[in-house]
Amino acid sequence: MSGMAQEDGSSSISSSPLHLFSLMSLSPGIGSPYPWLREMESEERGLYLIHLLVACANHVAAGSIENANIGLEQINHLASADGDTMQRIAAYFTEALANRMLKGWPGLYKAINSTRITSVSDEMLVKRLFFDLCPFLRLSYIITNQAILESMEGEKMVHIIDLCSSEPAQWINLLQSLRSRPEGPPHLRITGIHQQKEVLEQMALRLNEEAEKLDIPFQFNPIVSRLDNLDIKCLRYKSGEALAISSVLQLHTLLAFDDEMAKKSPASKRVLHMNSQTLGDFLKKDVTSAFSPSPDSTSSSPFSLANSAKMMNFLNALWTLSPKLMVVTEQESNHNKFSLMDRVIEALIFYAALFDCLESTVPRASLERQKVEKMLFGEEIKNIIACEGIERRVRHEKLEKWVPRLELAGFGRVPLSYNGMLLATRLLQNYGYDGYKMKEENGCLVICWHNQPLFSISAWKFTRYS
Amino acid sequence: MTTELDNTSAVNESTVSGEASISSLGNQTAAPPEKPVKRKRNLAGMPDPDAEVIALSPKTLMATNRFVCEICNKGFQRDQNLQLHRRGHNLPWKLKQRTSKEIRKRVYVCPEPSCVHHDPSRALGDLTGIKKHFCRKHGEKKWKCDQCSKKYAVQSDWKAHLKICGTREYKCDCGTLFSRRDSFITHRAFCDALAVESAKGQAEDEPSKKDEDPKPLLIESAPQSTSTASPPPPPPPASLPPPPPTTTTPAVPVTSSVLCIAKTPDLPEISKSNNDSRPVLENPSQLVAGLTGSSSGSCSSTNTGSTSSSVFASLFASSTASKTLQPQPQPQTTGYKDLIRSMTQPTQTPDLTLPSSAQETISLCLSTNQGSSIFRTAGQELRQYAPPPQPTMSATALLQKAAQMGASASGASLLRGYGLDAGQRDDTDGGASIGLGLGVGYDGRSGLEELMMGTPSVYGPKHTTLDFLGLGMAAGGGTTNGLSALMTSIGGSLDVTAAVSSFGRGGRAGSGEFTGKDMGTQ
């Protein structure tokens, strides 16, 4: 009878309330106890899910655990990690919200997460899957390499610092392009930074092999380190080398700071970290905003800039290397807002587009797609929503925030050439990536999915203060 | 002409070896100046049988310093420079003379053993010629055209190409560009033939396709895009027989030839996995027509596609070495022919630039994940059609719609959207009771508080609504900037009609039973 109710949806339901109640005792995996929910068209279900998600997030933000709990349960009936896009998004967002709630009981949270296995090979696999399934990394590499090629024209010794060296494809592509340079390939040195030794070893192997094949004088220097405690001296800067820095989706991790500490120390102390030249600018700005309790990181107040002391230190250190070129690829979305609800909404919009991208190219049953969704996007969402302070390393920001930051650190903008844009659009066309667009904004390129900007690529060079 | 050497046969082994040994020292003996005697040009392809055959090593051939002083072994690019240098050695008179005054016709063989010009009977008469030949055929291409990425080993070739690259272009109707008239004409003839062939003989492809399922499997995976009309009420997905892999084989080349990728086992996955049930097309020709458009587009874009594919190849190839991709090109071509036969005239989607070009490149770009890439192709083929009304709205679109709708509708409809109205419509008791429970102070509030109240109270016990009033305020206050507008708008009602219709359809059972159930759970 329950089957009838679910399939027909006709008015000839003879089931009693108790009967439907019995449906509820079914495990969620079998199906929603609300037959009409199952019949919902995906559109209404999607809209409903959005509504529920926002409501639940509100509860979590407000700290009302009970209501959040109910909300989560409601969403759980509809969400599914192997359903349609909105169902998947809802699944991961609720997981993130649940994690956030759970952090309210640190003992409970730690206990649940203590037996989690993190395997390097899994992480590498997921990164590789992301590279394969979505074109973003390829586009970024193509454009980065093109910018490097153009700026290194005529250079005999080229040194590249890769801030997150995990994908050999990027440099293999560069090696091949360098081979066909009219003046011949330069002497190339690549310094790869990564936290895991195995990844760097793999990179070294592949790159050395490729360079030998192409007969390019090549050196790979691995550095096992995190970005935030990177020792610049390790980079073994040699004068006479033309330096290029490639940062793909890495810089934002440096924005993570300890909220608690920042609140305690006065903002003025932090201002001293800034270059003296810009102090005057700071003083002109509204200093009172420095002490506002919930600074919106859209404003470039001393407080927000001061909190990115780690970032500024890092950028300044890079600046001392006087790089000829630095190409920065970042997610084009603001996931670093102070308030949780803001982050939730921004993340919803951003990850909806990303999930749509996957939906458009990969079948739903694909395990790889699920892995990317769960282990990459899901983890990012979890970090954005559930973590705070120094733990929250996924702090995406829009180009409009990166530009002043980089300019502050002494970098000047290098407009990305039209060739790069051309290559990128050609890649999209040739490999049939429909729906993706490349937009150009002030010399920076933005990869969009149907008008939703997703990733931004900008190029910079070392400038001296005039 | 010369009689000094025994050159009765075209090939004189000793001569060759003798010369080779001298030349392999890396030096070419000083050649007598040949200016006074007008050179006799040989027939092309047939060297002078009297000519002296010279085999130079690759190193010598490419050496820039061809003229070497025999005394000190210093190399010079020009003979005149060598002579000048020799003067400085204070040679005795006799040795000042050149070794021999005779003009010997010299022909050169290519040092590469596998080359056809390695045979002395196919020697080339011109040293510069053999040098260029060696570079072109056996050398590494160091010069590259910027525009079309064509590579050249000989600089003069490259310069010549630069002059004509992009200057003259013939364009076929299918969109392929040609720089040469002859290749253009050939292609055009072929291209028309394809179109004509596809117009007929679609039927002859049918029997070859299916064993059991009369409709090509392809239709199942692609109907979304070919739904020119809105899809009729879809049969449940389970009713579609999961096609055995064998049946997909004929269909796969169709897909694959469109995008030159063939992955048989994954296709059933695709059709099964797509939860949205789709109409089974009555007319496969329409489907194939769409494929035609893409595939002809793809075949014609060979030239344009292959240029940049070299740049991208590394990005796609460097993923895990999937050797399994190699055998694919063979089935692809046959499948392609099947497709061609079954194609109707190439109609739409001229803007497609899917390259079937360099099928190797495509196979490269499949790199790792077979499942994903094949779906990408299938997905691409889906997207090739005119944008269909997608059964599943993308999440981005849903968010936008939610934002829009929230802005417009009023508060009361929020709850109606959740099936309560359906209850009211059906005049069952349930709707009224729920409506009562939620009606408390409900109208005219901001969307946010509706959010607070609406959802939980549908499911939760009534007394919590009062809590929500208080909490709603707190949560509402927590949001600061403009994005909260989105939240409030989302908090506003959902689309009444859509929700109600679906709820009305299937919700009559549920809504009426709500409170009962709630009571049961709480």
Side-chain angles (χ1 to χ4, degrees):
Chain A
M1 274 195 299
S2 59
M4 272 171 49
Q6 286 163 10
E7 280 163 23
D8 297 348
S10 62
S11 56
S12 57
I13 290 297
S14 51
S15 43
S16 65
L18 288 177
H19 182 70
L20 282 169
F21 170 52
S22 71
L23 282 178
M24 272 194 55
S25 60
L26 292 173
S27 65
I30 295 182
S32 153
Y34 311 116
W36 55 271
L37 280 180
R38 272 242 317 226
E39 293 259 325
M40 236 196 273
E41 289 289 340
S42 67
E43 183 179 323
E44 290 97 58
R45 179 177 56 207
L47 292 169
Y48 194 33
L49 273 173
I50 297 172
H51 176 94
L52 289 173
L53 268 176
V54 173
C56 185
N58 266 313
H59 290 313
V60 175
S64 48
I65 305 292
E66 287 264 346
N67 305 324
N69 181 41
I70 294 167
L72 284 177
E73 191 162 6
Q74 290 162 7
I75 301 177
N76 194 34
H77 289 142
L78 296 174
S80 157
D82 34 4
D84 70 19
T85 337
M86 204 59 225
Q87 282 179 302
R88 292 180 187 221
I89 296 174
Y92 295 114
F93 269 80
T94 47
E95 190 186 350
L97 287 171
N99 264 291
R100 189 183 175 94
M101 283 165 63
L102 208 55
K103 286 201 172 176
W105 288 278
L108 195 60
Y109 179 76
K110 285 180 192 147
I112 283 197
N113 288 317
S114 63
T115 55
R116 198 150 43 128
I117 306 173
T118 47
S119 106
V120 172
S121 60
D122 265 352
E123 289 172 17
M124 283 169 67
L125 175 70
V126 164
K127 287 218 174 107
R128 163 44 61 102
L129 288 176
F130 179 55
F131 172 74
D132 280 336
L133 299 182
C134 298
F136 305 117
L137 287 183
R138 289 198 186 106
L139 290 170
S140 159
Y141 294 157
I142 275 264
I143 295 171
T144 307
N145 289 347
Q146 180 66 20
I148 294 178
L149 278 173
E150 285 168 8
S151 104
M152 296 301 171
E153 228 171 301
E155 295 280 355
K156 293 281 187 326
M157 309 270 296
V158 176
H159 181 201
I160 300 183
I161 299 181
D162 186 357
L163 293 190
C164 176
S165 191
S166 63
E167 183 54 59
Q170 179 178 13
W171 305 121
I172 291 178
N173 178 270
L174 183 67
L175 282 169
Q176 291 176 347
S177 309
L178 284 175
R179 192 81 197 83
S180 45
R181 225 165 61 140
E183 66 260 35
H187 184 110
L188 182 64
R189 185 158 81 95
I190 298 186
T191 302
I193 306 173
H194 202 263
Q195 291 184 33
Q196 282 133 1
K197 196 160 65 100
E198 298 85 352
V199 175
L200 289 175
E201 281 167 5
Q202 178 82 342
M203 284 282 283
L205 210 64
R206 294 281 285 120
L207 291 181
N208 279 320
E209 180 191 328
E210 191 70 23
E212 247 187 71
K213 249 199 292 181
L214 297 170
D215 192 27
I216 299 180
F218 176 76
Q219 251 187 57
F220 182 79
N221 306 123
I223 297 188
V224 183
S225 161
R226 284 165 46 132
L227 275 187
D228 42 12
N229 50 15
L230 179 69
D231 185 5
I232 291 293
K233 288 191 277 295
C234 280
L235 297 174
R236 286 205 289 142
Y237 168 74
K238 290 184 192 154
S239 69
E241 277 181 335
L243 177 63
I245 304 179
S246 158
S247 158
V248 177
L249 310 179
Q250 286 306 301
L251 271 191
H252 61 260
T253 54
L254 290 163
L255 288 171
F257 69 97
D258 197 344
D259 296 74
E260 299 307 308
M261 278 195 40
K263 281 183 198 137
K264 286 178 201 148
S265 67
S268 55
K269 217 197 274 181
R270 305 236 170 212
V271 170
L272 290 175
H273 283 268
M274 301 299 127
N275 293 318
S276 53
Q277 193 202 25
T278 52
L279 186 57
D281 296 341
F282 284 175
L283 294 175
K284 284 186 214 129
K285 291 193 171 70
D286 185 11
V287 184
T288 55
S289 66
F291 298 95
S292 62
S294 56
D296 204 350
S297 36
T298 50
S299 71
S300 50
S301 68
F303 185 69
S304 59
L305 278 176
N307 285 333
S308 43
K310 208 182 348 174
M311 164 69 71
M312 297 313 294
N313 282 340
F314 184 76
L315 289 177
N316 285 330
L318 287 183
W319 182 89
T320 57
L321 299 172
S322 41
K324 193 163 181 200
L325 177 76
M326 178 161 82
V327 187
V328 177
T329 307
E330 281 292 325
Q331 286 92 339
E332 179 71 3
S333 180
N334 204 334
H335 296 148
N336 196 14
K337 299 211 168 155
F338 193 73
S339 126
L340 175 69
M341 280 314 297
D342 293 339
R343 296 209 299 271
V344 168
I345 300 291
E346 288 275 0
L348 259 180
I349 298 172
F350 184 76
Y351 286 99
L354 277 182
F355 274 73
D356 281 339
C357 292
L358 278 183
E359 170 83 3
S360 76
T361 52
V362 188
R364 287 199 187 153
S366 157
L367 189 61
E368 283 79 13
R369 172 180 165 185
Q370 282 209 350
K371 280 194 179 156
V372 173
E373 287 174 349
K374 177 174 174 61
M375 291 157 65
L376 190 63
F377 297 158
E379 291 297 313
E380 284 179 7
I381 296 171
K382 230 193 276 186
N383 194 275
I384 294 174
I385 294 182
C387 298
E388 290 289 351
I390 197 88
E391 260 188 4
R392 178 155 63 91
R393 309 189 73 225
V394 181
R395 294 182 183 242
H396 305 150
E397 289 200 343
K398 290 198 180 175
L399 204 55
E400 66 202 12
K401 310 276 282 303
W402 286 110
V403 169
R405 197 175 272 141
L406 285 163
E407 284 175 351
L408 189 60
F411 290 94
R413 199 112 60 108
V414 172
L416 287 167
S417 80
Y418 184 65
N419 279 339
M421 165 83 129
L422 210 57
L423 277 174
T425 33
R426 226 188 277 170
L427 189 153
L428 289 173
Q429 281 170 357
N430 285 359
Y431 292 98
Y433 284 110
D434 274 348
Y436 296 90
K437 289 199 198 114
M438 300 291 305
K439 269 205 293 201
E440 193 258 344
E441 278 177 23
N442 294 335
C444 305
L445 291 180
V446 181
I447 309 173
C448 307
W449 163 257
H450 284 142
N451 294 326
Q452 169 67 29
L454 289 178
F455 295 91
S456 72
I457 308 172
S458 56
W460 302 85
K461 66 173 188 285
F462 154 86
T463 52
R464 298 196 182 282
Y465 289 123
S466 53
Chain B
M1 191 165 89
T2 60
T3 52
E4 307 243 338
L5 297 171
D6 184 5
N7 280 336
T8 47
S9 62
V11 177
N12 191 321
E13 301 297 334
S14 57
T15 313
V16 171
S17 53
E19 288 293 325
S21 59
I22 296 172
S23 8
S24 61
L25 288 175
N27 307 322
Q28 196 178 8
T29 54
E34 294 174 335
K35 283 179 299 235
V37 180
K38 187 157 184 234
R39 287 201 189 177
K40 196 173 83 174
R41 288 190 81 89
N42 285 322
L43 288 167
M46 283 187 344
D48 185 352
D50 298 334
E52 183 185 355
V53 184
I54 301 185
L56 302 169
S57 74
K59 197 162 152 238
T60 324
L61 199 57
M62 304 306 296
T64 44
N65 297 342
R66 288 171 32 202
F67 302 95
V68 184
C69 172
E70 59 266 27
I71 298 164
C72 62
N73 279 339
K74 192 166 150 85
F76 297 89
Q77 283 207 348
R78 291 210 191 87
D79 187 48
Q80 297 92 318
N81 300 352
L82 172 62
Q83 295 312 313
L84 270 174
H85 159 83
R86 280 173 85 237
R87 276 196 230 160
H89 282 305
N90 291 324
L91 297 170
W93 172 246
K94 282 208 191 110
L95 293 171
K96 262 197 195 170
Q97 305 294 102
R98 293 298 187 126
T99 45
S100 97
K101 283 267 190 190
E102 298 81 13
I103 299 153
R104 261 175 294 183
K105 176 74 184 138
R106 292 179 133 109
V107 292
Y108 304 91
V109 289
C110 181
E112 169 69 32
S114 61
C115 184
V116 70
H117 290 290
H118 187 68
D119 184 1
S121 62
R122 296 288 310 273
L124 297 176
D126 181 36
L127 180 61
T128 321
I130 196 77
K131 280 166 86 168
K132 285 203 177 165
H133 154 80
F134 183 65
C135 281
R136 264 194 217 113
K137 291 286 170 56
H138 314 297
E140 167 225 337
K141 301 189 176 176
K142 291 188 196 148
W143 283 274
K144 191 176 91 125
C145 170
D146 286 327
Q147 287 175 316
C148 63
S149 304
K150 221 170 153 198
K151 287 196 178 170
Y152 294 93
V154 181
Q155 194 179 21
S156 49
D157 291 348
W158 174 68
K159 281 190 192 165
H161 168 80
L162 285 184
K163 283 188 193 164
I164 59 162
C165 184
T167 47
R168 276 251 280 216
E169 280 172 359
Y170 301 91
K171 188 167 168 178
C172 175
D173 292 331
C174 58
T176 329
L177 288 173
F178 297 91
S179 62
R180 289 171 54 142
R181 188 177 155 76
D182 47 1
S183 38
F184 165 60
I185 291 176
T186 315
H187 162 85
R188 203 171 49 171
F190 183 55
C191 190
D192 282 345
L194 287 184
V196 167
E197 271 198 68
S198 63
K200 30 180 186 171
Q202 181 208 341
E204 53 181 90
D205 197 45
E206 290 294 309
S208 67
K209 278 196 175 180
K210 288 295 162 223
D211 305 338
E212 12 182 307
D213 192 358
K215 300 185 182 55
L217 179 65
L218 204 51
I219 293 176
E220 294 167 18
S221 58
Q224 277 184 342
S225 20
T226 49
S227 53
T228 46
S230 52
S239 71
L240 284 175
T246 52
T247 55
T248 68
T249 318
V252 167
V254 182
T255 340
S256 69
S257 53
V258 174
L259 298 146
C260 309
I261 301 165
K263 274 292 171 218
T264 313
D266 294 284
L267 205 51
E269 249 187 88
I270 299 160
S271 52
K272 270 190 289 192
S273 65
N274 205 330
N275 296 337
D276 310 300
S277 37
R278 31 196 107 72
V280 182
L281 281 184
E282 308 307 296
N283 186 11
S285 63
Q286 201 178 9
L287 161 74
V288 188
L291 288 175
T292 305
S294 56
S295 59
S296 58
S298 60
C299 77
S300 58
S301 65
T302 303
N303 292 346
T304 53
S306 58
T307 53
S308 47
S309 58
S310 53
V311 178
F312 305 137
S314 53
L315 283 184
F316 288 86
S318 59
S319 11
T320 66
S322 46
K323 303 287 181 229
T324 56
L325 292 172
Q326 303 320 315
Q328 285 169 15
Q330 290 82 15
Q332 287 172 17
T333 46
T334 52
Y336 188 63
K337 298 256 178 358
D338 293 339
L339 172 65
I340 291 169
R341 266 187 276 120
S342 62
M343 284 191 313
T344 58
Q345 65 278 13
T347 52
Q348 63 274 28
T349 62
D351 50 336
L352 285 177
T353 54
L354 282 177
S356 68
S357 71
Q359 291 187 348
E360 318 82 53
T361 324
I362 302 292
S363 63
L364 286 178
C365 93
L366 288 185
S367 57
T368 55
N369 192 351
Q370 304 175 355
S372 64
S373 48
I374 183 61
F375 189 77
R376 182 154 62 80
T377 69
Q380 289 165 348
E381 125 198 284
L382 298 185
R383 287 180 265 113
Q384 285 157 17
Y385 302 99
Q390 292 278 0
T392 332
M393 262 179 100
S394 73
T396 321
L398 282 174
L399 280 172
Q400 286 165 357
K401 187 160 182 184
Q404 280 166 9
M405 289 186 323
S408 50
S410 68
S413 53
L414 166 68
L415 295 173
R416 263 183 255 127
Y418 289 131
L420 302 172
D421 197 26
Q424 290 169 12
R425 269 193 194 183
D426 294 337
D427 303 322
T428 56
D429 40 336
S433 56
I434 295 174
L436 280 179
L438 299 160
V440 179
Y442 172 64
D443 294 328
R445 294 210 184 240
S446 75
L448 203 51
E449 284 138 56
E450 285 166 22
L451 219 94
M452 298 302 108
M453 289 168 43
T455 317
S457 46
V458 168
Y459 297 97
K462 289 185 202 170
H463 64 268
T464 56
T465 52
L466 294 175
D467 287 344
F468 290 141
L469 290 178
L471 290 168
M473 303 304 255
T479 62
T480 48
N481 62 10
L483 279 173
S484 61
L486 174 61
M487 283 174 350
T488 50
S489 62
I490 291 177
S493 66
L494 298 181
D495 185 14
V496 178
T497 51
V500 164
S501 60
S502 75
F503 288 77
R505 243 201 332 262
R508 275 169 268 173
S511 59
E513 309 301 333
F514 253 139
T515 37
K517 191 171 20 154
D518 284 340
M519 296 313 155
T521 53
Q522 307 306 331

